[in-house]
Amino acid sequence: MEALLNQFFNLDIMARALPLVLTGLKQTLLLCIVVIPLGLAGGLLVALLSLVPWRVFRWATILAIDFFRAVPPLVLLIFVYSGLPFAGIRLTPLAAVAVAFLLNNSSYYGEVYRAGIESVGRGQWDAARSTGLTLTQTLRNVVLPQAIRNVLPDLISNTVEVVKLTSLASVIALPELLYSADMARSLTFNTSPIVLAAGFYLLMLWPLVRLVSRLERRIAS
Amino acid sequence: MDTWSRFLDTFFKPELIRQYLPSIAAGTVTTIEIAFAIVVTGILLGLVLAVLRTFRILPVNMMLVACVDIMRALPPIVLVLLVYFGLPNIGINVPSFAVLWIVLSLVLAAFAEEILWAGILSVPKGQWESARSTGFGLFSTLIYIVLPQAVRLTVPPLTNRTLAITKNTALGTVIGVPEILNQATTGQSFSGNATPLMMGAIAYVILFIPVVALGRFLETRFRWSRA
Amino acid sequence: MTGPILDIRGLRKSFGHVEVLRGIDLAVKPQELVFIIGPSGSGKSTLLRCCNRLEEPNAGTILVDGVDLMDRRTNINAMRRHIGMVFQSFNLYPHLSALSNVSLALRKVVKKSRAEAEALALTALERVGLREKAKSYPSELSGGQQQRVAIARALALEPTIMLFDEPTSALDPELVGSVLGVMRELKQDGMTMLVVSHEMRFARDAADRVIFMDHGLIVEEAPPSQIFTSPREPRTRTFIAELTR
């Protein structure tokens, strides 16, 4: 028992690792600020493309979405970071994360938006168009606000996944939360720094996870 | 050399494809084995937990929800590293593939529990009441009446979530499990060429695209039947 | 004599292999209330939806106020503003208040300022007797009130003609009267209206002309007094007999 506490919840070591872990936390937050808006915007674009009435075009978009949903994000990240340089495209770790996650997240967010848009009835389009609103105006003022509200739990839950994904950046040595915690672990030969990092992830994500559960339950009932 | 053949030479070099095909294939088998094990234990455990939750024993449920939330909120790679580096230090030695299997099973179980529980809740109270009134016990009401209805409703989200978590088998590369990505990156560093990595990516696509397509099919199918 | 507000000639529309409209000619004069009746599947609603090109006709011309809707150079969104439409299922925007439902197109299509648009929207709500519900959301309104807001939404754009697609079919019987009351007032104010509906009593009281459609064609048209008491065509006779039985 004591060994367990000492190995995982060593407050002394946690205190020593804290400054390093905090710099990592800052990097993680920075990553989120880059990656989440990119994914939200890319996803919207993908959703709109997958609704274009031109069939070939729509299928191509759906194929691309499915492709990026089939490839594990870590594979995508390593491919972008260490595969593309062979083709002469060299990206910084941050840029690699941004590109790889843009591809991955746009597909996931895109599917969420698409389900939302499809959940808005045809009558809403009819009504808006009958008053002379253009396609873009109808989307922006009538369809999307309803669509986003309908899939809000999925949007938040996907955002939780995106924040979790940023931890993969540690694999390509981007010094974010997990990377710095793991560094502290290798310096101290003790797992407590990773527990500390886990604590920070919980701090960020637990409220969102709870929120999703509650929203989903409200929609179900 | 023109751009096209340089592209082929970087990502699809024939002799490297031949050379690394066996190891990528071996990696694929490993990935399939671990993924299969995760799906079985993860979903079964999730089902058990969801059933446990219907008994509504307050302290049990509070514990359960807390654990499930933690598993849903933590990045799997954090859990993998925690277990992989933590357990040996307190004298428990677990092979790396088992670490991956256990961690991802627990994560899948947490998500499956949550999805199944939502499904169980969505079955109207009247279903419970009519079953109980015809003499079914709590447990057999669950098995024969509620779960069949709940499962139908939960199949599409469960499929998508299962896919997302089994894709995390790629994390095995971080702790040295010889799965696809591990074989691919090893191949890449030995050959100094991106072909093995491309092969790995293709292996994943071949492996998981059918599941993605299945998820899509289930989603539209169940939506129609609801309308 | 002024020309018709709505002038439809040779209108055809198919869905796949099914021809729903098989050559419709119809003219609606200013201030006229034209009623369209007919069995379901006769193409009434499709005809209405072609009048503002929510459905794309396959052939024919549609003139609204002398402007050819089918002409490529016609700005359809600008024209739609002048063709009010009221739907069976109201189709109010659930995320917007009654006031915003009515003022949205005024702001986005007519490009009025928010203040101006809201003032006009209030006037329109007043006309349907719902000024005090301006802040309410659709979910807080009864079906009849929702439909009246929908009428106000079309009315606020100052249409030259209004299309009603079974405006009372989704309403509980006790709520029908309020909507018909609003429509009656519109008629008195001189609005030109094309109405698809099963409210035969309303047709008898308020319509200038009743059109009976079947299988994508206009079978018979006459003043209500004539079509309800002595229809010429056997098909019309059967349909009216079924309704009044």
Side-chain angles (χ1 to χ4, degrees), chain A residues 122-124 126-130 132 137 141 146, chain C residues 49 77 80 91-95 108-109 153:
Chain A
R122 167 105 204 257
Q124 293 293 313
D126 284 350
R129 300 302 304 248
S130 81
Q137 286 172 332
N141 297 294
Q146 296 181 56
Chain C
R49 292 168 60 84
N77 290 322
R80 276 178 178 151
N91 296 346
L92 288 187
Y93 312 132
H95 63 301
K108 303 294 171 185
V109 182
R153 176 172 67 186

mmCIF file with all atom_site columns, all heavy atoms in Angstrom, chain A residues 122-124 126-130 132 137 141 146, chain C residues 49 77 80 91-95 108-109 153:
data_model
loop_
_atom_site.group_PDB
_atom_site.id
_atom_site.type_symbol
_atom_site.label_atom_id
_atom_site.label_alt_id
_atom_site.label_comp_id
_atom_site.label_asym_id
_atom_site.label_entity_id
_atom_site.label_seq_id
_atom_site.pdbx_PDB_ins_code
_atom_site.Cartn_x
_atom_site.Cartn_y
_atom_site.Cartn_z
_atom_site.occupancy
_atom_site.B_iso_or_equiv
_atom_site.pdbx_formal_charge
_atom_site.auth_seq_id
_atom_site.auth_comp_id
_atom_site.auth_asym_id
_atom_site.auth_atom_id
_atom_site.pdbx_PDB_model_num
ATOM 1   N N   . ARG A 1 122 ? -37.286 19.787 -43.518 1.00 0.00 ? 122 ARG A N   1
ATOM 2   C CA  . ARG A 1 122 ? -37.362 20.398 -44.837 1.00 0.00 ? 122 ARG A CA  1
ATOM 3   C C   . ARG A 1 122 ? -38.213 21.681 -44.803 1.00 0.00 ? 122 ARG A C   1
ATOM 4   O O   . ARG A 1 122 ? -37.943 22.647 -45.507 1.00 0.00 ? 122 ARG A O   1
ATOM 5   C CB  . ARG A 1 122 ? -37.982 19.346 -45.771 1.00 0.00 ? 122 ARG A CB  1
ATOM 6   C CG  . ARG A 1 122 ? -38.453 19.801 -47.094 1.00 0.00 ? 122 ARG A CG  1
ATOM 7   C CD  . ARG A 1 122 ? -37.519 19.371 -48.196 1.00 0.00 ? 122 ARG A CD  1
ATOM 8   N NE  . ARG A 1 122 ? -37.703 20.287 -49.304 1.00 0.00 ? 122 ARG A NE  1
ATOM 9   C CZ  . ARG A 1 122 ? -38.392 19.973 -50.392 1.00 0.00 ? 122 ARG A CZ  1
ATOM 10  N NH1 . ARG A 1 122 ? -38.895 18.774 -50.517 1.00 0.00 ? 122 ARG A NH1 1
ATOM 11  N NH2 . ARG A 1 122 ? -38.535 20.854 -51.350 1.00 0.00 ? 122 ARG A NH2 1
ATOM 12  N N   . GLY A 1 123 ? -39.234 21.687 -43.943 1.00 0.00 ? 123 GLY A N   1
ATOM 13  C CA  . GLY A 1 123 ? -40.139 22.836 -43.856 1.00 0.00 ? 123 GLY A CA  1
ATOM 14  C C   . GLY A 1 123 ? -39.414 24.120 -43.487 1.00 0.00 ? 123 GLY A C   1
ATOM 15  O O   . GLY A 1 123 ? -39.815 25.201 -43.905 1.00 0.00 ? 123 GLY A O   1
ATOM 16  N N   . GLN A 1 124 ? -38.348 23.996 -42.694 1.00 0.00 ? 124 GLN A N   1
ATOM 17  C CA  . GLN A 1 124 ? -37.591 25.182 -42.310 1.00 0.00 ? 124 GLN A CA  1
ATOM 18  C C   . GLN A 1 124 ? -36.932 25.813 -43.536 1.00 0.00 ? 124 GLN A C   1
ATOM 19  O O   . GLN A 1 124 ? -36.909 27.029 -43.689 1.00 0.00 ? 124 GLN A O   1
ATOM 20  C CB  . GLN A 1 124 ? -36.528 24.811 -41.268 1.00 0.00 ? 124 GLN A CB  1
ATOM 21  C CG  . GLN A 1 124 ? -37.117 24.373 -39.944 1.00 0.00 ? 124 GLN A CG  1
ATOM 22  C CD  . GLN A 1 124 ? -37.811 25.515 -39.232 1.00 0.00 ? 124 GLN A CD  1
ATOM 23  O OE1 . GLN A 1 124 ? -37.261 26.596 -39.123 1.00 0.00 ? 124 GLN A OE1 1
ATOM 24  N NE2 . GLN A 1 124 ? -39.018 25.288 -38.778 1.00 0.00 ? 124 GLN A NE2 1
ATOM 25  N N   . ASP A 1 126 ? -38.025 25.417 -46.631 1.00 0.00 ? 126 ASP A N   1
ATOM 26  C CA  . ASP A 1 126 ? -39.121 25.945 -47.446 1.00 0.00 ? 126 ASP A CA  1
ATOM 27  C C   . ASP A 1 126 ? -39.540 27.320 -46.956 1.00 0.00 ? 126 ASP A C   1
ATOM 28  O O   . ASP A 1 126 ? -39.657 28.264 -47.743 1.00 0.00 ? 126 ASP A O   1
ATOM 29  C CB  . ASP A 1 126 ? -40.334 25.011 -47.374 1.00 0.00 ? 126 ASP A CB  1
ATOM 30  C CG  . ASP A 1 126 ? -40.143 23.770 -48.232 1.00 0.00 ? 126 ASP A CG  1
ATOM 31  O OD1 . ASP A 1 126 ? -39.167 23.755 -49.011 1.00 0.00 ? 126 ASP A OD1 1
ATOM 32  O OD2 . ASP A 1 126 ? -40.950 22.841 -48.116 1.00 0.00 ? 126 ASP A OD2 1
ATOM 33  N N   . ALA A 1 127 ? -39.764 27.412 -45.632 1.00 0.00 ? 127 ALA A N   1
ATOM 34  C CA  . ALA A 1 127 ? -40.243 28.672 -45.080 1.00 0.00 ? 127 ALA A CA  1
ATOM 35  C C   . ALA A 1 127 ? -39.235 29.786 -45.348 1.00 0.00 ? 127 ALA A C   1
ATOM 36  O O   . ALA A 1 127 ? -39.590 30.874 -45.797 1.00 0.00 ? 127 ALA A O   1
ATOM 37  C CB  . ALA A 1 127 ? -40.488 28.524 -43.582 1.00 0.00 ? 127 ALA A CB  1
ATOM 38  N N   . ALA A 1 128 ? -37.963 29.499 -45.082 1.00 0.00 ? 128 ALA A N   1
ATOM 39  C CA  . ALA A 1 128 ? -36.944 30.527 -45.253 1.00 0.00 ? 128 ALA A CA  1
ATOM 40  C C   . ALA A 1 128 ? -36.826 30.947 -46.719 1.00 0.00 ? 128 ALA A C   1
ATOM 41  O O   . ALA A 1 128 ? -36.802 32.129 -47.046 1.00 0.00 ? 128 ALA A O   1
ATOM 42  C CB  . ALA A 1 128 ? -35.598 30.020 -44.738 1.00 0.00 ? 128 ALA A CB  1
ATOM 43  N N   . ARG A 1 129 ? -36.795 29.947 -47.599 1.00 0.00 ? 129 ARG A N   1
ATOM 44  C CA  . ARG A 1 129 ? -36.655 30.271 -49.014 1.00 0.00 ? 129 ARG A CA  1
ATOM 45  C C   . ARG A 1 129 ? -37.887 31.015 -49.522 1.00 0.00 ? 129 ARG A C   1
ATOM 46  O O   . ARG A 1 129 ? -37.802 31.868 -50.400 1.00 0.00 ? 129 ARG A O   1
ATOM 47  C CB  . ARG A 1 129 ? -36.439 29.002 -49.850 1.00 0.00 ? 129 ARG A CB  1
ATOM 48  C CG  . ARG A 1 129 ? -35.204 28.189 -49.488 1.00 0.00 ? 129 ARG A CG  1
ATOM 49  C CD  . ARG A 1 129 ? -33.935 28.981 -49.609 1.00 0.00 ? 129 ARG A CD  1
ATOM 50  N NE  . ARG A 1 129 ? -33.759 29.543 -50.942 1.00 0.00 ? 129 ARG A NE  1
ATOM 51  C CZ  . ARG A 1 129 ? -32.837 29.194 -51.808 1.00 0.00 ? 129 ARG A CZ  1
ATOM 52  N NH1 . ARG A 1 129 ? -31.986 28.298 -51.498 1.00 0.00 ? 129 ARG A NH1 1
ATOM 53  N NH2 . ARG A 1 129 ? -32.736 29.751 -52.990 1.00 0.00 ? 129 ARG A NH2 1
ATOM 54  N N   . SER A 1 130 ? -39.062 30.696 -48.977 1.00 0.00 ? 130 SER A N   1
ATOM 55  C CA  . SER A 1 130 ? -40.287 31.344 -49.468 1.00 0.00 ? 130 SER A CA  1
ATOM 56  C C   . SER A 1 130 ? -40.323 32.822 -49.090 1.00 0.00 ? 130 SER A C   1
ATOM 57  O O   . SER A 1 130 ? -41.050 33.594 -49.698 1.00 0.00 ? 130 SER A O   1
ATOM 58  C CB  . SER A 1 130 ? -41.531 30.643 -48.920 1.00 0.00 ? 130 SER A CB  1
ATOM 59  O OG  . SER A 1 130 ? -41.803 31.081 -47.602 1.00 0.00 ? 130 SER A OG  1
ATOM 60  N N   . GLY A 1 132 ? -37.664 34.617 -49.343 1.00 0.00 ? 132 GLY A N   1
ATOM 61  C CA  . GLY A 1 132 ? -36.644 35.251 -50.155 1.00 0.00 ? 132 GLY A CA  1
ATOM 62  C C   . GLY A 1 132 ? -35.236 35.156 -49.613 1.00 0.00 ? 132 GLY A C   1
ATOM 63  O O   . GLY A 1 132 ? -34.308 35.714 -50.202 1.00 0.00 ? 132 GLY A O   1
ATOM 64  N N   . GLN A 1 137 ? -28.015 32.638 -46.459 1.00 0.00 ? 137 GLN A N   1
ATOM 65  C CA  . GLN A 1 137 ? -28.766 33.254 -45.352 1.00 0.00 ? 137 GLN A CA  1
ATOM 66  C C   . GLN A 1 137 ? -29.602 32.218 -44.626 1.00 0.00 ? 137 GLN A C   1
ATOM 67  O O   . GLN A 1 137 ? -29.700 32.226 -43.397 1.00 0.00 ? 137 GLN A O   1
ATOM 68  C CB  . GLN A 1 137 ? -29.671 34.368 -45.889 1.00 0.00 ? 137 GLN A CB  1
ATOM 69  C CG  . GLN A 1 137 ? -28.922 35.627 -46.294 1.00 0.00 ? 137 GLN A CG  1
ATOM 70  C CD  . GLN A 1 137 ? -29.835 36.625 -46.989 1.00 0.00 ? 137 GLN A CD  1
ATOM 71  O OE1 . GLN A 1 137 ? -30.818 36.246 -47.625 1.00 0.00 ? 137 GLN A OE1 1
ATOM 72  N NE2 . GLN A 1 137 ? -29.509 37.901 -46.876 1.00 0.00 ? 137 GLN A NE2 1
ATOM 73  N N   . ASN A 1 141 ? -28.887 31.726 -40.758 1.00 0.00 ? 141 ASN A N   1
ATOM 74  C CA  . ASN A 1 141 ? -29.854 32.271 -39.808 1.00 0.00 ? 141 ASN A CA  1
ATOM 75  C C   . ASN A 1 141 ? -30.910 31.280 -39.353 1.00 0.00 ? 141 ASN A C   1
ATOM 76  O O   . ASN A 1 141 ? -31.483 31.444 -38.293 1.00 0.00 ? 141 ASN A O   1
ATOM 77  C CB  . ASN A 1 141 ? -30.554 33.485 -40.417 1.00 0.00 ? 141 ASN A CB  1
ATOM 78  C CG  . ASN A 1 141 ? -29.589 34.612 -40.693 1.00 0.00 ? 141 ASN A CG  1
ATOM 79  O OD1 . ASN A 1 141 ? -29.030 35.188 -39.784 1.00 0.00 ? 141 ASN A OD1 1
ATOM 80  N ND2 . ASN A 1 141 ? -29.351 34.895 -41.962 1.00 0.00 ? 141 ASN A ND2 1
ATOM 81  N N   . GLN A 1 146 ? -30.296 25.934 -35.444 1.00 0.00 ? 146 GLN A N   1
ATOM 82  C CA  . GLN A 1 146 ? -31.057 24.785 -34.950 1.00 0.00 ? 146 GLN A CA  1
ATOM 83  C C   . GLN A 1 146 ? -30.210 23.527 -34.965 1.00 0.00 ? 146 GLN A C   1
ATOM 84  O O   . GLN A 1 146 ? -30.254 22.713 -34.045 1.00 0.00 ? 146 GLN A O   1
ATOM 85  C CB  . GLN A 1 146 ? -32.289 24.562 -35.821 1.00 0.00 ? 146 GLN A CB  1
ATOM 86  C CG  . GLN A 1 146 ? -33.278 25.698 -35.785 1.00 0.00 ? 146 GLN A CG  1
ATOM 87  C CD  . GLN A 1 146 ? -34.485 25.385 -36.646 1.00 0.00 ? 146 GLN A CD  1
ATOM 88  O OE1 . GLN A 1 146 ? -35.145 24.383 -36.474 1.00 0.00 ? 146 GLN A OE1 1
ATOM 89  N NE2 . GLN A 1 146 ? -34.768 26.256 -37.607 1.00 0.00 ? 146 GLN A NE2 1
ATOM 90  N N   . ARG C 2 49  ? -46.508 25.113 -54.697 1.00 0.00 ? 49  ARG C N   1
ATOM 91  C CA  . ARG C 2 49  ? -45.065 25.198 -54.454 1.00 0.00 ? 49  ARG C CA  1
ATOM 92  C C   . ARG C 2 49  ? -44.293 25.568 -55.711 1.00 0.00 ? 49  ARG C C   1
ATOM 93  O O   . ARG C 2 49  ? -43.144 26.019 -55.619 1.00 0.00 ? 49  ARG C O   1
ATOM 94  C CB  . ARG C 2 49  ? -44.552 23.886 -53.871 1.00 0.00 ? 49  ARG C CB  1
ATOM 95  C CG  . ARG C 2 49  ? -45.064 23.612 -52.453 1.00 0.00 ? 49  ARG C CG  1
ATOM 96  C CD  . ARG C 2 49  ? -44.785 22.191 -52.015 1.00 0.00 ? 49  ARG C CD  1
ATOM 97  N NE  . ARG C 2 49  ? -43.364 21.882 -52.006 1.00 0.00 ? 49  ARG C NE  1
ATOM 98  C CZ  . ARG C 2 49  ? -42.561 22.176 -50.977 1.00 0.00 ? 49  ARG C CZ  1
ATOM 99  N NH1 . ARG C 2 49  ? -43.060 22.721 -49.898 1.00 0.00 ? 49  ARG C NH1 1
ATOM 100 N NH2 . ARG C 2 49  ? -41.287 21.903 -51.047 1.00 0.00 ? 49  ARG C NH2 1
ATOM 101 N N   . ASN C 2 77  ? -35.022 35.186 -55.447 1.00 0.00 ? 77  ASN C N   1
ATOM 102 C CA  . ASN C 2 77  ? -35.152 35.555 -54.033 1.00 0.00 ? 77  ASN C CA  1
ATOM 103 C C   . ASN C 2 77  ? -35.852 36.902 -53.866 1.00 0.00 ? 77  ASN C C   1
ATOM 104 O O   . ASN C 2 77  ? -36.659 37.076 -52.954 1.00 0.00 ? 77  ASN C O   1
ATOM 105 C CB  . ASN C 2 77  ? -33.780 35.579 -53.369 1.00 0.00 ? 77  ASN C CB  1
ATOM 106 C CG  . ASN C 2 77  ? -33.208 34.189 -53.212 1.00 0.00 ? 77  ASN C CG  1
ATOM 107 O OD1 . ASN C 2 77  ? -33.949 33.254 -52.921 1.00 0.00 ? 77  ASN C OD1 1
ATOM 108 N ND2 . ASN C 2 77  ? -31.918 34.057 -53.440 1.00 0.00 ? 77  ASN C ND2 1
ATOM 109 N N   . ARG C 2 80  ? -39.552 36.144 -54.525 1.00 0.00 ? 80  ARG C N   1
ATOM 110 C CA  . ARG C 2 80  ? -40.231 35.359 -53.478 1.00 0.00 ? 80  ARG C CA  1
ATOM 111 C C   . ARG C 2 80  ? -40.762 36.261 -52.367 1.00 0.00 ? 80  ARG C C   1
ATOM 112 O O   . ARG C 2 80  ? -41.768 35.971 -51.735 1.00 0.00 ? 80  ARG C O   1
ATOM 113 C CB  . ARG C 2 80  ? -39.251 34.339 -52.880 1.00 0.00 ? 80  ARG C CB  1
ATOM 114 C CG  . ARG C 2 80  ? -39.170 33.079 -53.698 1.00 0.00 ? 80  ARG C CG  1
ATOM 115 C CD  . ARG C 2 80  ? -38.177 32.146 -53.096 1.00 0.00 ? 80  ARG C CD  1
ATOM 116 N NE  . ARG C 2 80  ? -38.120 30.890 -53.843 1.00 0.00 ? 80  ARG C NE  1
ATOM 117 C CZ  . ARG C 2 80  ? -37.036 30.129 -53.921 1.00 0.00 ? 80  ARG C CZ  1
ATOM 118 N NH1 . ARG C 2 80  ? -35.930 30.509 -53.310 1.00 0.00 ? 80  ARG C NH1 1
ATOM 119 N NH2 . ARG C 2 80  ? -37.066 29.018 -54.601 1.00 0.00 ? 80  ARG C NH2 1
ATOM 120 N N   . ASN C 2 91  ? -44.066 25.812 -39.975 1.00 0.00 ? 91  ASN C N   1
ATOM 121 C CA  . ASN C 2 91  ? -42.639 26.009 -40.232 1.00 0.00 ? 91  ASN C CA  1
ATOM 122 C C   . ASN C 2 91  ? -42.093 27.287 -39.627 1.00 0.00 ? 91  ASN C C   1
ATOM 123 O O   . ASN C 2 91  ? -41.283 27.971 -40.232 1.00 0.00 ? 91  ASN C O   1
ATOM 124 C CB  . ASN C 2 91  ? -42.343 25.996 -41.742 1.00 0.00 ? 91  ASN C CB  1
ATOM 125 C CG  . ASN C 2 91  ? -42.657 24.661 -42.369 1.00 0.00 ? 91  ASN C CG  1
ATOM 126 O OD1 . ASN C 2 91  ? -42.843 23.683 -41.664 1.00 0.00 ? 91  ASN C OD1 1
ATOM 127 N ND2 . ASN C 2 91  ? -42.732 24.626 -43.676 1.00 0.00 ? 91  ASN C ND2 1
ATOM 128 N N   . LEU C 2 92  ? -42.541 27.604 -38.430 1.00 0.00 ? 92  LEU C N   1
ATOM 129 C CA  . LEU C 2 92  ? -41.899 28.717 -37.725 1.00 0.00 ? 92  LEU C CA  1
ATOM 130 C C   . LEU C 2 92  ? -40.506 28.280 -37.317 1.00 0.00 ? 92  LEU C C   1
ATOM 131 O O   . LEU C 2 92  ? -40.251 27.096 -37.114 1.00 0.00 ? 92  LEU C O   1
ATOM 132 C CB  . LEU C 2 92  ? -42.701 29.105 -36.480 1.00 0.00 ? 92  LEU C CB  1
ATOM 133 C CG  . LEU C 2 92  ? -44.022 29.816 -36.723 1.00 0.00 ? 92  LEU C CG  1
ATOM 134 C CD1 . LEU C 2 92  ? -44.605 30.293 -35.403 1.00 0.00 ? 92  LEU C CD1 1
ATOM 135 C CD2 . LEU C 2 92  ? -43.843 31.005 -37.659 1.00 0.00 ? 92  LEU C CD2 1
ATOM 136 N N   . TYR C 2 93  ? -39.593 29.256 -37.190 1.00 0.00 ? 93  TYR C N   1
ATOM 137 C CA  . TYR C 2 93  ? -38.241 28.929 -36.752 1.00 0.00 ? 93  TYR C CA  1
ATOM 138 C C   . TYR C 2 93  ? -38.261 28.756 -35.232 1.00 0.00 ? 93  TYR C C   1
ATOM 139 O O   . TYR C 2 93  ? -38.479 29.731 -34.511 1.00 0.00 ? 93  TYR C O   1
ATOM 140 C CB  . TYR C 2 93  ? -37.265 30.027 -37.139 1.00 0.00 ? 93  TYR C CB  1
ATOM 141 C CG  . TYR C 2 93  ? -37.400 30.482 -38.584 1.00 0.00 ? 93  TYR C CG  1
ATOM 142 C CD1 . TYR C 2 93  ? -37.454 31.826 -38.907 1.00 0.00 ? 93  TYR C CD1 1
ATOM 143 C CD2 . TYR C 2 93  ? -37.458 29.553 -39.618 1.00 0.00 ? 93  TYR C CD2 1
ATOM 144 C CE1 . TYR C 2 93  ? -37.570 32.244 -40.224 1.00 0.00 ? 93  TYR C CE1 1
ATOM 145 C CE2 . TYR C 2 93  ? -37.579 29.970 -40.937 1.00 0.00 ? 93  TYR C CE2 1
ATOM 146 C CZ  . TYR C 2 93  ? -37.644 31.311 -41.235 1.00 0.00 ? 93  TYR C CZ  1
ATOM 147 O OH  . TYR C 2 93  ? -37.752 31.714 -42.527 1.00 0.00 ? 93  TYR C OH  1
ATOM 148 N N   . PRO C 2 94  ? -38.034 27.541 -34.739 1.00 0.00 ? 94  PRO C N   1
ATOM 149 C CA  . PRO C 2 94  ? -38.225 27.301 -33.307 1.00 0.00 ? 94  PRO C CA  1
ATOM 150 C C   . PRO C 2 94  ? -37.207 28.034 -32.426 1.00 0.00 ? 94  PRO C C   1
ATOM 151 O O   . PRO C 2 94  ? -37.454 28.223 -31.247 1.00 0.00 ? 94  PRO C O   1
ATOM 152 C CB  . PRO C 2 94  ? -38.050 25.784 -33.172 1.00 0.00 ? 94  PRO C CB  1
ATOM 153 C CG  . PRO C 2 94  ? -37.305 25.365 -34.379 1.00 0.00 ? 94  PRO C CG  1
ATOM 154 C CD  . PRO C 2 94  ? -37.672 26.336 -35.467 1.00 0.00 ? 94  PRO C CD  1
ATOM 155 N N   . HIS C 2 95  ? -36.076 28.426 -33.013 1.00 0.00 ? 95  HIS C N   1
ATOM 156 C CA  . HIS C 2 95  ? -35.032 29.052 -32.189 1.00 0.00 ? 95  HIS C CA  1
ATOM 157 C C   . HIS C 2 95  ? -35.200 30.571 -32.127 1.00 0.00 ? 95  HIS C C   1
ATOM 158 O O   . HIS C 2 95  ? -34.395 31.245 -31.507 1.00 0.00 ? 95  HIS C O   1
ATOM 159 C CB  . HIS C 2 95  ? -33.654 28.705 -32.734 1.00 0.00 ? 95  HIS C CB  1
ATOM 160 C CG  . HIS C 2 95  ? -33.412 29.230 -34.124 1.00 0.00 ? 95  HIS C CG  1
ATOM 161 N ND1 . HIS C 2 95  ? -34.209 28.875 -35.193 1.00 0.00 ? 95  HIS C ND1 1
ATOM 162 C CD2 . HIS C 2 95  ? -32.484 30.082 -34.615 1.00 0.00 ? 95  HIS C CD2 1
ATOM 163 C CE1 . HIS C 2 95  ? -33.760 29.477 -36.276 1.00 0.00 ? 95  HIS C CE1 1
ATOM 164 N NE2 . HIS C 2 95  ? -32.728 30.227 -35.959 1.00 0.00 ? 95  HIS C NE2 1
ATOM 165 N N   . LYS C 2 108 ? -32.766 40.612 -43.540 1.00 0.00 ? 108 LYS C N   1
ATOM 166 C CA  . LYS C 2 108 ? -31.766 39.981 -44.401 1.00 0.00 ? 108 LYS C CA  1
ATOM 167 C C   . LYS C 2 108 ? -32.076 40.144 -45.887 1.00 0.00 ? 108 LYS C C   1
ATOM 168 O O   . LYS C 2 108 ? -31.173 40.208 -46.699 1.00 0.00 ? 108 LYS C O   1
ATOM 169 C CB  . LYS C 2 108 ? -31.650 38.490 -44.075 1.00 0.00 ? 108 LYS C CB  1
ATOM 170 C CG  . LYS C 2 108 ? -31.312 38.178 -42.639 1.00 0.00 ? 108 LYS C CG  1
ATOM 171 C CD  . LYS C 2 108 ? -29.915 38.659 -42.291 1.00 0.00 ? 108 LYS C CD  1
ATOM 172 C CE  . LYS C 2 108 ? -29.677 38.534 -40.794 1.00 0.00 ? 108 LYS C CE  1
ATOM 173 N NZ  . LYS C 2 108 ? -28.389 39.100 -40.385 1.00 0.00 ? 108 LYS C NZ  1
ATOM 174 N N   . VAL C 2 109 ? -33.345 40.135 -46.248 1.00 0.00 ? 109 VAL C N   1
ATOM 175 C CA  . VAL C 2 109 ? -33.694 40.203 -47.664 1.00 0.00 ? 109 VAL C CA  1
ATOM 176 C C   . VAL C 2 109 ? -33.970 41.657 -48.075 1.00 0.00 ? 109 VAL C C   1
ATOM 177 O O   . VAL C 2 109 ? -33.462 42.141 -49.072 1.00 0.00 ? 109 VAL C O   1
ATOM 178 C CB  . VAL C 2 109 ? -34.924 39.322 -47.977 1.00 0.00 ? 109 VAL C CB  1
ATOM 179 C CG1 . VAL C 2 109 ? -35.249 39.370 -49.466 1.00 0.00 ? 109 VAL C CG1 1
ATOM 180 C CG2 . VAL C 2 109 ? -34.678 37.898 -47.526 1.00 0.00 ? 109 VAL C CG2 1
ATOM 181 N N   . ARG C 2 153 ? -45.482 36.560 -40.788 1.00 0.00 ? 153 ARG C N   1
ATOM 182 C CA  . ARG C 2 153 ? -44.149 36.493 -41.385 1.00 0.00 ? 153 ARG C CA  1
ATOM 183 C C   . ARG C 2 153 ? -44.210 36.740 -42.886 1.00 0.00 ? 153 ARG C C   1
ATOM 184 O O   . ARG C 2 153 ? -43.376 37.453 -43.450 1.00 0.00 ? 153 ARG C O   1
ATOM 185 C CB  . ARG C 2 153 ? -43.528 35.115 -41.100 1.00 0.00 ? 153 ARG C CB  1
ATOM 186 C CG  . ARG C 2 153 ? -42.195 34.906 -41.750 1.00 0.00 ? 153 ARG C CG  1
ATOM 187 C CD  . ARG C 2 153 ? -41.536 33.629 -41.285 1.00 0.00 ? 153 ARG C CD  1
ATOM 188 N NE  . ARG C 2 153 ? -42.253 32.432 -41.716 1.00 0.00 ? 153 ARG C NE  1
ATOM 189 C CZ  . ARG C 2 153 ? -41.930 31.200 -41.338 1.00 0.00 ? 153 ARG C CZ  1
ATOM 190 N NH1 . ARG C 2 153 ? -40.913 31.014 -40.507 1.00 0.00 ? 153 ARG C NH1 1
ATOM 191 N NH2 . ARG C 2 153 ? -42.610 30.169 -41.768 1.00 0.00 ? 153 ARG C NH2 1
#
